[in-house]
Amino acid sequence: MKVIELYILRRTLAIFAASLSWLVLIVWTTQVLNRIDLVTSSGQSAATFFTVALLALPAVLPVIMPFVIGIAVAQTLATMNADSELVVINAAGSPRMTVIRPILIVAVAASVAAFAINNLLEPYARQTMRQILARANANLITTVLSEGTFHEVDDGLFVQVSKRLPDGLLGGIFVADSRDPELKLVYHARRGAALEREQGSVLILQEGEVHRQTAHGEISVIRFDAYAFDLSEFTNGSGTPVLYPKDRYLPELINPDPNDSFFAHKPQSYRAELHMRLSEWLYPIVFALIGIAVAGDARSFREARIHPMITTMTIGLLVRWAGFYAGNEAETKPIFAFVLYAVPIGMILMCIGFIATNRVMELPAHWTERLLSHLQVVSERLVRLRARFLASGGRA
């Protein structure tokens, strides 16, 4: 590798490492805050909380890695252009691959890392996290749940106990179940008890009602003397959780267990997850090529109306949004499985076309004008806010 290529490689890696550190810290913090209720409401130790927080990290890395690559490439090339380094490289007769090759090395390495994390580290982290959460929920009703407080046992499943009675009985039990978007259920019972069995946890309700509301607005009320509410869908007595497609390793997605209840009910979810795993690793390469197509040519900054990083991130966000949308739709519509591959591969071919023909990839003129106007408004508001802050501080 030439000296100039090593120079570009080091600069790109330095910006990549710095951007990755900051973005991981920001996104990971939001994920950690979402899990803080594990300690406050489930009675778990701080060690368990930090373990869950650490296990959330592998799910964050593959999502932000393409954006980090885009930032590193756009910033490196824009800085080299501003310092006239790209002009010198071109004037020296160096081929364009001198600039492109080190960037592609970083992008390919990031893609390989994203594939490994998605298919090896993330499934392990998700399964371990679900086991911890399942054990936390296993004794939730009987030992942890506070009187008069709502607790989210699972997404869309809330439980409240008005008071605790002698002999482990519960009084005034309220359960709201909206996990099924087609059916909403509300249970209310005067008393009950939580029982543990080999098949899973069961909440026994006595002297109560079940309110059912369908997606069409039809409402029905059923009274009962005794009702067993099964909690084993998300945990059982041994603390073993139900695993979803995102929790599975790649071989399990390629050849799923036919006895898996989730696969039996939603086989397309497994297929959609498999296609997402096999296509999402391409996005670091996509973002790197977008950065090269936007800022890879030596040009005067007087020609560019907005910074190349803004253009790169805007185009990258649109492409990534298309991939996320196709992934969501693929869970119910098999045709979108092809879109999952078409989006990154199509963008790669488009970027190669721009690079090969020495054209600069830019946003449409009206998009640029609108974006600049919004940035101007934000800038003016920040200036006014700063002025008010300084004025109030001066008076103080």
Side-chain angles (χ1 to χ4, degrees), residues 150 158-162 171-176 186-189 203 205:
F150 282 93
F158 295 84
V159 178
Q160 182 202 37
V161 176
S162 298
I173 303 173
F174 180 88
V175 179
V186 175
Y187 304 83
H188 182 267
L203 182 61
L205 307 178

Side-chain angles (χ1 to χ4, degrees), residues 134 137-138 141 153-154 157 177 179 195-203 228-244 261:
N137 285 330
I141 304 295
V153 180
D154 195 20
L157 180 62
D177 187 359
R179 291 174 294 176
L195 301 178
E196 300 292 337
R197 58 179 185 176
E198 294 183 359
Q199 294 80 8
S201 302
V202 177
L203 182 61
F229 187 84
D230 191 3
L231 302 177
S232 62
E233 180 178 349
F234 53 92
T235 181
N236 58 36
S238 61
T240 303
V242 173
L243 299 181
Y244 296 95
S261 59

